[in-house]
Structures are given as structure tokens and as C-alpha cells.
Amino acid sequence: MKRWLLIAAGLVALVVSILVAITLGSADISLVNIRDIVTNHAGLTDIPVRRSEDAIVWEDRLPRSLVGAACGTGLSLCGLLLQSLLRNPLADPYILGVSSGASTGAVAIGMLGLGGGVLGLSGGAFIGSIIAFIAVLVIAHFARGNTAAFILAGVASTQLFSALTSLMIFAFADSDEARGVMFWMLGSLEGVRWQQVYLALAVALIAVVICWAAARALDVLTFGEDMAGALGVNVTAVRISLLTLTALVTAGLVSVAGAIGFVGLVIPHIARLICGHRHALLVPFSAVFGAIFMVWVDALSRIFFSPTALPIGVGTAVVGVPVFIAILLKKKARG
């Protein structure tokens, strides 16, 4: 009962956060107007509203808040999975080289015109992410496939694709192109559209369902691979399937919003401090708290840096680094 109450309270807090965040910005919009605009577009009402307010809410603030919440959910869960699977508290969604691969793919499409115009920036980022993850799997397989091999393969892949991205920017980009690519690489919710909202929400929902279904296996894996095997868990199958899930979820979200750091690293640690180590509670709490965190970071970036919003990846780092340091100091004091 306590678990369900906590989850319900978190969902209510998330909805309230999204609604309040939509009201914030250079143009103040009341909750009543937001209600009217949303119900109008849902076909439930036909209440007259200003076109400017309708555009601000429906075409800008609501989509970016929903994408931000989806990214917070997905990246938090990916960080939780990787920290549990690799038994490394510093693991985050980008440890598998997915983010660097996405940057390389996006740059290859945006600057070199690969794909013949069929692929957009998001498509190139997704393909680059998958290529980077496959490279990690291949390297880790030939390096015995243990936890350390995955981490080191991820480091190698990250460095390789980061170098390729830098090389293409240096060799082929003019100043405007370089600025646009760098802005995307820092993470941005600017200009997201409803097609991207649907994609991000679907990816986040899939991550929640699969992670919750795997909660028991993740609990067992915390006792070590030998113990998990003795209790009937197919360690190799669980590890490969969940690593693949993290790569696909991260690739999908990065292709929509760019590289957003520190969410997948910090949120799971906060969740463990509050909820303990049972994944049946860690999964929903990480998902909801990560979504709330992203919604408010985006809202504050719009307010403090108006009229140009701060790249969301910079905002998460500015907030996440002090929080992570505080967590480390608190754990040291306990230890």
C-alpha cells in the first residue's frame, strides 16, 4: 500500500509540475487558459482563446514539457538499469557510447549530407547510436564479455565516435553549422513537435513496463552473478536484453532531444537514498522523479535565460553536479 501511495503521489506531482511549468515563461498564461486550450484540441470544448496563447501552449510549451518528462523517465531508468547490471555507481546511459554515436550520426547527416536527404538529423542520430552500441557489443564479446569489458568497450567507443564527430566538425563545418551542431549536442527541447512527443512518450512507456517486469531479476543480480544463476536467473540473457533496451531507449531519446547528461547518473542515486534497493519501488520512483526533474530544469532554463532557453543538457549538469556531490558527501558521512 505504501508503494502505491508513493507512486500515486509522484504522478500527481508530475502532472502539477507540467501544468505549472507551462504557465511560466516570457508570456504568462493562466491554468484556466491552459485547460481551455487542451480541451479544445482534444475536441471536448470549443472555448474562444487567443491564437498567440494557443500557439505558445500547444505548439511550444506543452510538447517540450512532455518530451522533457519522457526523457527524464527514460534516461533515469536506463541509468538505474546500468548501475544495477554493471554494478557500477558511476554508470549512466551514455557509458555504452550511444550518445557519442548519435552525435556522429547527426553530424554526418547534417554536414556531409549522407543518406541522400531521406534521413533527418534525428534519424542519423538514431542510426549512429545503434552503430556505436553494436561496436561496444563486439568489443566486449572479444574481451570476454564481463562487466569490466562492457565498461571499457563503452569508454573506447565513446572516445572513437567523439573523435570522429570532432574531425567532421573541424574539416567540414562552417561557423553556423558548427554552432547548430554544438547546440544539439548539448541537448535541446527547442522546436519539438507532436510527432516527437509521441515517439518519446512511447519509448519512455516501453522502458517503464520492461524495467518493472525485470525488477525481481535486478534485485537478484545485486547479490552477484553466481547467486543470481543459482536462483534460476539466466544472467547472460537478462544482461544482453536489458543492455539492448538501454541502448535503444537512449538512442530514441537522444535522437529527439540530443545528449542530456547527469539525469541517468544522479536520479537513481537519489531514488536509492529515499526508497532503498528494491527495484519494484526504485523503478517507478526513478521514472517519476526523473520526469519531474527534467520538467523543472527546462522551465527554469526558459525563465532565467529568456528569450533564449539554455540548452537542457547544460541545465541538468548545472543542477546535477552539486546534487551528485552532496550525495557523495552524505554517503561518506554515513559510511
Side-chain angles (χ1 to χ4, degrees):
M1 180 62 69
K2 181 180 178 182
R3 179 177 73 184
W4 291 109
L5 287 175
L6 185 61
I7 295 171
L11 291 174
V12 171
L14 174 58
V15 173
V16 171
S17 295
I18 291 174
L19 291 175
V20 174
I22 295 172
T23 68
L24 303 175
S26 56
D28 292 330
I29 301 175
S30 68
L31 287 172
V32 173
N33 286 350
I34 293 171
R35 180 202 64 192
D36 295 341
I37 292 168
V38 172
T39 55
N40 283 351
H41 282 277
L44 301 176
T45 59
D46 189 17
I47 301 171
V49 294
R50 292 181 179 177
R51 289 187 178 182
S52 59
E53 291 187 349
D54 183 272
I56 290 172
V57 171
W58 192 254
E59 301 297 336
D60 180 36
R61 294 185 188 175
L62 181 56
R64 68 184 295 154
S65 292
L66 292 176
V67 170
C71 289
T73 293
L75 294 176
S76 298
L77 290 178
C78 288
L80 178 66
L81 282 180
L82 288 170
Q83 290 171 15
S84 299
L85 291 172
L86 302 179
R87 303 181 71 185
N88 187 328
L90 296 179
D92 75 349
Y94 304 127
I95 199 171
L96 300 178
V98 172
S99 176
S100 297
S103 299
T104 302
V107 171
I109 295 297
M111 292 185 181
L112 304 184
L114 299 182
V118 176
L119 296 174
L121 202 66
S122 296
F126 184 82
I127 292 175
S129 298
I130 300 305
I131 292 173
F133 177 63
I134 292 173
V136 169
L137 289 180
V138 171
I139 296 171
H141 173 73
F142 287 105
R144 300 182 180 181
N146 55 19
T147 298
F150 274 105
I151 294 174
L152 294 175
V155 172
S157 178
T158 297
Q159 295 301 316
L160 171 62
F161 284 96
S162 293
L164 290 175
T165 301
S166 299
L167 177 62
M168 284 189 287
I169 292 174
F170 177 79
F172 302 106
D174 58 32
S175 58
D176 291 336
E177 288 177 331
R179 178 181 174 84
V181 169
M182 291 302 297
F183 191 83
W184 181 87
M185 290 170 62
L186 293 173
S188 175
L189 298 179
E190 288 290 326
V192 294
R193 294 293 178 259
W194 280 101
Q195 293 88 342
Q196 295 165 306
V197 173
Y198 302 141
L199 171 62
L201 290 176
V203 169
L205 180 60
I206 290 171
V208 171
V209 171
I210 295 179
C211 288
W212 209 345
R216 179 184 173 277
L218 291 170
D219 285 340
V220 175
L221 282 171
T222 59
F223 296 104
E225 295 181 4
D226 294 336
M227 179 66 72
L231 293 174
V233 175
N234 188 331
V235 176
T236 301
V238 168
R239 176 189 287 166
I240 295 299
S241 60
L242 292 182
L243 285 176
T244 302
L245 172 70
T246 62
L248 292 175
V249 170
T250 304
L253 297 177
V254 169
S255 69
V256 171
I260 303 172
F262 274 94
V263 179
L265 178 62
V266 173
I267 300 300
H269 286 283
I270 296 175
R272 290 188 182 92
L273 287 175
I274 297 174
C275 303
H277 295 275
R278 289 191 58 196
H279 286 83
L281 188 54
L282 275 175
V283 167
F285 185 86
S286 296
V288 173
F289 192 74
I292 294 172
F293 175 78
M294 280 287 293
V295 168
W296 279 108
V297 169
D298 177 53
L300 294 175
S301 72
R302 291 202 316 266
I303 296 170
F304 293 143
F305 294 88
S306 180
T308 302
L310 183 74
I312 191 70
V314 177
T316 56
V318 169
V319 177
V321 170
V323 172
F324 190 62
I325 292 173
I327 292 172
L328 292 177
L329 294 177
K330 186 172 184 178
K331 286 186 176 182
K332 181 180 179 181
R334 285 184 176 182

